[in-house]
Amino acid sequence: MPRSVPIYKPLLPDAKAIAPYLEQIDRNRIYANRGPLAQSLEARLAALLTGRPETVAVAASGTAALEASILAAAGRAEAARPLALLPGYTFSATAHAAMGAGYHPHFLDISPEDWQLRAADVLRNPALPRAGVVIPVAPFGARPLLEEWTAFHAQSGIPVVIDAAASFEAAASAPAAGDIPVALSFHATKSFSTGEGGAVLWRRREGLMRVVQALNFGMILTRESRSAGFNGKLSEYHAAIGLAGLDRLAAARNARADTLARYRRSAAAHGIAQHLILHPEIAPCYALFRAPSPAMARAALRALQEAGCETRFWYGFGVHAEPYFRSLVPAGLPHTEALAARIIGIPIADDLDEESIARVTAALGAAR
Ligand SMILES: *Cc1c(COP(=O)(O)O)cnc(C)c1O
């Protein structure tokens, strides 16, 4: 059996590309605490993702960005509003961030059409009066539904924070800062990465300053803790990786476009093109096979395993089904569970080679 095809093979900037930024750190002798490289990364990300200065705050991870956004937009949970409403179809980080801010995660079912929570459904949900925050998720890097959730926030008065962890490219293609915070992840398995890292996009400057404060023990400008917080700051070393990553963004996108074109051609040749979901519909760090039935999903998993291709249920069978969260959802979430069993993550990389693509698509084409 030849080597197996990995589910995702990240490619971050190499040592040579990062070196000029490391030399800046050597000269600056500032290593942490939103230093000059972190601020430069924020400015370049703002130009790219929001088109406005002072709309981005970087963080140590996507989860830190999310938790700080919750603290900045909603504060810690209070007895009258203890719930965070969030979809079952997400990565467990969404629920952990809510719990970090003191909320009890209350999982809701998604819309089967776009795999997301819809504001109109949440407005009718009986748990709404006890909700302290709503955390919609843009799954697999979909575009965050800013207008819909801004209107929901205006109508209900309930703070909203969007988990758009994988939506870097969606944000780059349509400005993604609005009146509610949007959290991104720069983890190595996301399409733009600082190794570990994340960011909050938010057009409200005083809100963004509260995010920065929450990421720094509740301190800003002075050494006094004035609000809830923790250490969620991005180090200068991680910022260096991000700056080098922005320098090579165009090259990464070119390589990716070529790979995706080859993937599509190969899928068409094996008669499975209609079941494949690729960038730009989702983030380029994912490729998904949407099985038409549960039986077909099982057949596809078997065929891929036999061909030595890794697969992943990126969101498990819904976070609400994870051992730690299971007891919180007695009734189950039918749309989430039906979808999760049919959406199979398959191998992708910006530079996925011809042989690997052929192996994946041939296995899926032959799956019965
Ligand atoms: C990756 C991801 C996160 C967590 O980001 P980290 O940077 O790993 O903390 C949160 N939510 C979703 C939907 C993700 O995909």
Side-chain angles (χ1 to χ4, degrees), residues 61-64 66 90-91 93-94 137 163 165-166 185-187 190 196-197 286 315:
S61 68
T63 309
L66 201 53
T90 184
F91 181 58
T94 320
V137 174
D163 178 352
S185 163
F186 300 153
H187 185 257
K190 300 299 201 288
E196 292 273 10
Y286 303 109
Y315 300 154

Side-chain angles (χ1 to χ4, degrees), residues 187-206:
H187 185 257
T189 57
K190 300 299 201 288
S191 56
F192 170 77
S193 178
T194 55
E196 292 273 10
V200 179
L201 316 181
W202 201 356
R203 209 165 52 193
R204 285 185 44 208
R205 195 176 135 70
E206 69 289 357

Side-chain angles (χ1 to χ4, degrees), residues 222 277 314:
T222 71
I277 307 176
W314 284 103

